[in-house]
Amino acid sequence: LCAKGQYSNTTTVCEECPIGTKSTVYKTECEPCPAGQYQDEAGKSVCKACSSNEYTKPGAGDCITCIGTVSVTKDSCTPCTDTQYFNKDSNRCVDCEAGQIPVGQGQACTFKKDLEGFDNLSKTPTPT
């Protein structure tokens, strides 16, 4: 019988579960970590959770960080809509206030009239 983090498909030899998987005691095979979890070490019995702005596919050895987007599900990032910005503090898409639009690659909102004569992304004067 094998210890936690190991498996055996024979009766005599136990092997460590590979990265991206886990195993509880007495298993004949390792289970992949589910979406939203990972395992970056071999021979483990549990998977680690990704943070709120990260995701994974099942069987992952690490998490992928969502930048400027929000992780709606544990296995993908979904971009903010064209009326939202990404709030770094809450790691979520937040609706802009009425009359505002996202600027700075979706990192903040401003009123459209405040952008007249400026480049939307850099907020530098537009050449004439």
Side-chain angles (χ1 to χ4, degrees):
L1 299 175
C2 297
K4 290 180 180 180
Q6 296 181 332
Y7 74 102
S8 177
N9 53 14
T10 69
T11 56
T12 58
V13 179
C14 292
E15 297 181 44
E16 286 190 336
C17 289
I19 289 173
T21 66
K22 65 177 181 169
S23 176
T24 55
V25 77
Y26 312 130
K27 292 288 186 170
T28 58
E29 61 185 33
C30 299
E31 302 170 34
C33 293
Q37 296 183 15
Y38 72 102
Q39 184 47 262
D40 56 354
E41 300 175 71
K44 297 299 179 181
S45 61
V46 295
C47 297
K48 302 171 185 177
C50 294
S51 65
S52 62
N53 67 327
E54 296 178 324
Y55 75 96
T56 65
K57 300 290 184 188
D62 60 359
C63 298
I64 300 169
T65 302
C66 300
I67 299 175
T69 60
V70 62
S71 181
V72 172
T73 64
K74 293 295 182 186
D75 64 354
S76 67
C77 289
T78 302
C80 297
T81 68
D82 60 359
T83 61
Q84 296 176 318
Y85 74 97
F86 185 75
N87 182 300
K88 292 179 191 175
D89 295 329
S90 66
N91 290 319
R92 299 177 56 139
C93 289
V94 178
D95 291 330
C96 292
E97 292 182 30
Q100 291 187 333
I101 59 171
V103 294
Q105 298 176 354
Q107 300 299 311
C109 292
T110 192
F111 288 100
K112 200 171 190 176
K113 65 180 173 112
D114 294 340
L115 295 176
E116 292 174 13
F118 289 84
D119 174 335
N120 285 358
L121 296 178
S122 66
K123 291 191 176 181
T124 55
T126 304
T128 54

